[in-house]
Amino acid sequence: MKCFATRGRYETKNLTALPRTTNVPEAKMTTMTDTHEQVHEDKQFISLMETTIKERKETLTRACTALDNNCNGTGTSHFERAFYCKKYKLAVCDIYKSGSSTMLFTILNMNDVKWSDMDFSGWLRESGKLRFSAISNTEEKTVMWNSYTKVILVRDPFERFVSGYADKLIPTGGGHSKHYRDLSLKINQEYRHLRSDVSKRNATEPKHATFEDFLNYLLTTKETQMDGHWADYVQLCEPCAHGYDVIMKMDTLENDVRYVTSLLNLTAEHSKDFFKNQIGRSTKSNKTMEYFKTIPKELANRLYENRRRDFEMFGYRKPEWIC
């Protein structure tokens, strides 16, 4: 299969973040010309973003058509996973390791939940009340889902795997809880015999899963048994079955956040915290490449083929450095 640069996308190129309106010093009054220029700039940005979102949706439609029945799930996962906000008529299906924590806090803010003094269990408890699964009336859920603006935030699949591995399965990761320590040890024990370097198959260190162990685990574990932090997009949000009005991407998040803020007409109070601190935090492509350079290209190619639909549904191309 022909390879392309990892940052190649099936969408409008060179859409850079246009400058936002800045605070004007008191000594400088805003002129009518300044206002007109800002209005023109905003309209131009919205027009470019509408084109980009349209192209992303068309890419998803083409991929789903080509995949046919290979991308359909149960048809109900959005009721189980998606957050909602009635104030803005917003439905968001969150994907772990693709801005999901910030998505959770954003939804809490938009629903005016005071979460800053809560612990993690409190966040989960309060956010659980704002998932479609908390609504007992199926008809009400269906009406809301069909009438709300539906949003999904995706990420390059390889970047997502690196983020999940680095956060959950190695001791230095912020999410390396007892559950993931035990899982990492189990993956180490069950997949070390597949390591390409024979001398490392019986090594006593490290005790946690290597990146190669992790990828072999991904390739041999059924999707229905997969931890949500590396489950595929179909299992989590069923994009082919339901479609989304806005497809956001971690690699273009600044533009996407600005667009959705405008689309939902967020108040100043809610817009200032909309995806606060998330912009610029996506795993850098060079870090992803560094991890994948530690494993055989044959293994990387097998993983690409295994998760190919995640790449194709959202216009992510096969990185040239695994060819």
Side-chain angles (χ1 to χ4, degrees), residues 90-93 103 149-153 244-248 260:
L90 171 68
V92 181
C93 190
M103 184 77 76
T149 299
K150 294 178 285 295
V151 175
I152 188 173
L153 172 59
Y244 288 87
D245 300 302
V246 179
I247 299 170
M248 299 173 67
V260 174

Side-chain angles (χ1 to χ4, degrees), residues 130-149:
L130 301 171
R131 289 191 185 271
F132 276 81
S133 58
I135 303 173
S136 58
N137 188 308
T138 301
E139 183 179 356
E140 180 184 2
K141 287 193 287 190
T142 302
V143 170
M144 288 172 60
W145 181 260
N146 290 336
S147 61
Y148 281 19
T149 299

Side-chain angles (χ1 to χ4, degrees), residues 263-308:
L263 180 69
L264 298 177
N265 194 25
L266 298 184
T267 63
E269 178 184 4
H270 291 141
S271 63
K272 68 182 176 64
D273 291 322
F274 191 64
F275 279 85
K276 183 179 180 181
N277 300 328
Q278 185 63 53
I279 294 173
R281 292 183 59 190
S282 180
T283 305
K284 302 302 181 183
S285 59
N286 58 345
K287 179 180 178 181
T288 300
M289 183 170 61
E290 287 169 6
Y291 268 93
F292 274 87
K293 278 186 174 180
T294 67
I295 63 161
K297 287 186 177 180
E298 179 270 337
L299 181 59
N301 276 281
R302 284 172 56 207
L303 182 64
Y304 172 79
E305 292 299 329
N306 181 269
R307 294 300 183 92
R308 185 170 178 169

Side-chain angles (χ1 to χ4, degrees), residues 171-186:
T172 55
H176 194 61
S177 62
K178 183 181 185 305
H179 168 77
Y180 288 104
R181 286 196 299 272
D182 293 344
L183 177 60
S184 187
L185 176 61
K186 181 180 179 182

Side-chain angles (χ1 to χ4, degrees), residues 210-258:
T210 66
F211 189 59
E212 185 175 6
D213 297 338
F214 173 57
L215 297 194
N216 278 311
Y217 159 78
L218 292 180
L219 286 168
T220 58
T221 303
K222 293 181 179 179
E223 278 295 335
T224 54
Q225 301 171 356
M226 191 77 70
D227 183 284
H229 290 87
W230 30 83
D232 73 6
Y233 294 143
V234 171
Q235 290 294 319
L236 295 173
C237 293
E238 300 187 298
C240 289
H242 306 300
Y244 288 87
D245 300 302
V246 179
I247 299 170
M248 299 173 67
K249 291 187 173 184
M250 290 288 288
D251 41 304
T252 57
L253 193 57
E254 183 173 357
N255 285 322
D256 296 353
V257 165
R258 182 181 172 189

